[in-house]
Amino acid sequence: FQTTCTMRYERARWFNSSKRTFSDSGKMAGIFWDLDGTLTGYPNGFVSKYFEFNTFPGKCNVSSEHVNGVVCGAADGSLRVRTMKVNNQEPWQLDGKQMNVLSSSGFDQVSYDFFKVKGWAFPMVENQTYDMRVNDPNDFQRLSLQYSVRPYVMEAHGYGAGPSYTNTTPKSEDVLVHLNYTDWRDHFDGTTGERLSRMPTSDDPFGSFSMILRQDQCDAFNLTESAQEKCGGYVNDTGLEL
């Protein structure tokens, strides 16, 4: 299906079928959430559109049963796949451009959606790190990130009415997102969570963020001595202060 929603499945049965799901190869595709393992073989298993950046060894794999998709799961049901929605972007020149997404498992591009999201939406594997940048010379001045929706993350799901079925219970979830920001002419700060002087961790409040000045990028600019001293590590400054 061509949407960004998550569809929950349980107690599925198959008869003479070699294909179980089909993920649209277009701009968007949602997430199949297998609550009890009857769809993917994993309790709390997930199927989403194939992106190379989600092919983490030992966590996700490609299966002929799931066309254009990647299957992610863990034997103990601890893995989660959620939708990351990126929109409310400024300037308008970013509209319609591809989003470059990189992880330890690979690189792929996410297409812009003009109708439903008016931005980008794609699946992410929880507890992984992603580098994201709009494929355009302009840096963002404003950008909103939404990780899934509250009921999926914070509420229990599933039949849960007997020894054969168990509820999917909430757990602590996080992803680490790196957003490249080169143009310092505009004020850069977050509006949710805490601004830190170190890399955020799962123990920090939701939305916590920080800035790092990478040494190789600092060397390309004629920075003041005070700014140069901050290169190479995380800083507790806004773009305007720098």
Side-chain angles (χ1 to χ4, degrees), residues 164-221:
S164 300
Y165 305 108
T166 56
N167 278 0
T168 296
T169 55
K171 63 182 286 273
S172 177
E173 300 182 29
D174 66 271
V175 291
L176 182 63
V177 176
H178 293 155
L179 296 169
N180 181 78
Y181 192 76
T182 302
D183 191 343
W184 295 352
R185 293 177 300 172
D186 296 294
H187 183 111
F188 174 74
D189 204 356
T191 56
T192 303
E194 298 181 3
R195 179 158 51 88
L196 308 172
S197 57
R198 54 171 172 77
M199 185 177 73
T201 70
S202 57
D203 296 326
D204 293 314
F206 175 79
S208 296
F209 66 98
S210 58
M211 291 180 63
I212 183 172
L213 303 179
R214 301 192 183 278
Q215 187 66 55
D216 59 334
Q217 296 179 356
C218 286
D219 293 341
F221 296 91

Side-chain angles (χ1 to χ4, degrees), residues 136-163:
D136 188 82
N138 294 288
D139 279 324
F140 67 89
Q141 297 173 10
R142 187 180 74 171
L143 204 64
S144 295
L145 306 179
Q146 179 182 328
Y147 178 77
S148 190
V149 292
R150 184 178 180 85
Y152 285 152
V153 178
M154 304 300 294
E155 298 177 6
H157 297 276
Y159 181 61

Side-chain angles (χ1 to χ4, degrees), residues 64-175:
S64 61
E65 294 180 336
H66 302 280
V67 182
N68 295 335
V70 58
V71 182
C72 299
D76 61 358
S78 60
L79 186 143
R80 301 288 189 273
V81 175
R82 305 299 190 193
T83 296
M84 175 65 76
K85 184 169 69 173
V86 184
N87 60 358
N88 295 321
Q89 63 281 348
E90 290 184 2
W92 64 265
Q93 286 89 347
L94 302 179
D95 296 357
K97 304 300 173 60
Q98 300 274 76
M99 175 73 77
N100 295 336
V101 183
L102 176 69
S103 74
S104 61
S105 68
F107 168 85
D108 231 319
Q109 289 187 312
V110 178
S111 298
Y112 183 92
D113 174 63
F114 284 95
F115 302 105
K116 298 178 181 179
V117 180
K118 296 183 179 179
W120 306 264
F122 51 95
M124 279 187 165
V125 180
E126 184 267 336
N127 199 31
Q128 299 297 327
T129 300
Y130 296 84
D131 285 25
M132 295 162 40
R133 182 176 185 177
V134 181
N135 190 25
D136 188 82
N138 294 288
D139 279 324
F140 67 89
Q141 297 173 10
R142 187 180 74 171
L143 204 64
S144 295
L145 306 179
Q146 179 182 328
Y147 178 77
S148 190
V149 292
R150 184 178 180 85
Y152 285 152
V153 178
M154 304 300 294
E155 298 177 6
H157 297 276
Y159 181 61
S164 300
Y165 305 108
T166 56
N167 278 0
T168 296
T169 55
K171 63 182 286 273
S172 177
E173 300 182 29
D174 66 271
V175 291

Side-chain angles (χ1 to χ4, degrees), residues 12-21 65:
R13 300 177 66 188
W14 306 93
F15 300 93
N16 300 321
S17 175
S18 61
K19 308 298 180 186
R20 297 189 175 185
T21 64
E65 294 180 336

